[in-house]
Amino acid sequence: MKKKIVHYQVLFVFVLMFFSSCYKEGKQITLAEAGAVSADKINKSVENVFKGPEIQMGNGKVRSWISINHEGVPVEIGIEMTDGALYGLSQDPEDFAAATFVLPLHKKAGDLTPFDHLVINWNVHGHEPEHVFDVPHFDFHFYMISEGEQMAIPPYEVAPAGFDNLPPHAYWPDLYFPTAGGVPQMGKHWADGTFAPPFTKTFIYGSYNGKFIFLEPMIIRDYLVQGTSYTAAFRQLHVFDPTNKYYPQKYNIYKDPATSKHYITLSDFVWR
């Protein structure tokens, strides 16, 4: 997909290798453990689950959701995918519209968290650098700006100033660095300096015009097809904007064995 080529540069790989020994991210958990964890959250902690509308994706459906406990604190926010959503996807790397799925969030999500909407981007052939991210994968964007603001982000070549206006250094998450250029209708991507190939999953930040605007688990399709479960803490921003919201500290990948639905979520919220 041409628009994604600028996503990362070849230098990215070498910087990542340098940092790769500094931090071990997360742990893989069994399918049974994932089912038990999700069931425990739903049955014991959660007062309500608020879901967004179902969206057709491939041969299945996707939707957003947020769960909130009895104290009014978010438990999880994320994406629910039926198994069919992993199949029948566009095979045209140039058809950006056919590979983009916008998921509105319930109003409760905006009231409690910084997130406005979610977007799934399907990359049928991945993107550069070669032999690292050139495998079929999904970008799961959790946007902290409106859809209108997101869609107004221009190509880097047309207006680079917004991309090159980085957030103040004091905000930056440890060991993350901004990649060159930027992607229209997304922003500038920030890479995890501890990542090392082979790529199955990684966690990305995004910025535009001086603010961090999205969080992004990036996961290969095969990882989801296999039903592999994983949970990880991700490094936090040092300053939060907006304030007076609940922000997540972990991201999770799991499949519910009872329904065969896949979940990509953020959890472990704290008040900022």
Side-chain angles (χ1 to χ4, degrees), residues 107-167:
K107 183 180 180 297
K108 290 283 188 181
D111 291 342
L112 296 171
T113 78
F115 303 114
D116 180 86
H117 66 288
L118 313 182
V119 178
I120 303 173
N121 296 103
W122 160 241
N123 300 274
V124 63
H125 296 315
H127 49 71
E128 292 184 344
E130 190 177 359
H131 306 309
V132 180
F133 296 123
D134 58 348
V135 293
H137 70 265
F138 298 96
D139 302 334
F140 297 99
H141 289 93
F142 290 69
Y143 279 101
M144 298 182 285
I145 57 174
S146 70
E147 186 181 354
E149 292 173 297
Q150 177 215 332
M151 297 302 290
I153 296 175
Y156 181 82
E157 297 77 9
V158 173
F163 297 91
D164 294 339
N165 179 17
L166 301 179

Side-chain angles (χ1 to χ4, degrees), residues 17-40:
M17 290 295 193
F18 178 79
F19 285 112
S20 62
S21 62
C22 298
Y23 179 82
K24 296 281 187 184
E25 180 192 86
K27 65 175 182 177
Q28 185 167 308
I29 59 178
T30 68
L31 192 61
E33 289 173 327
V37 168
S38 59
D40 181 69

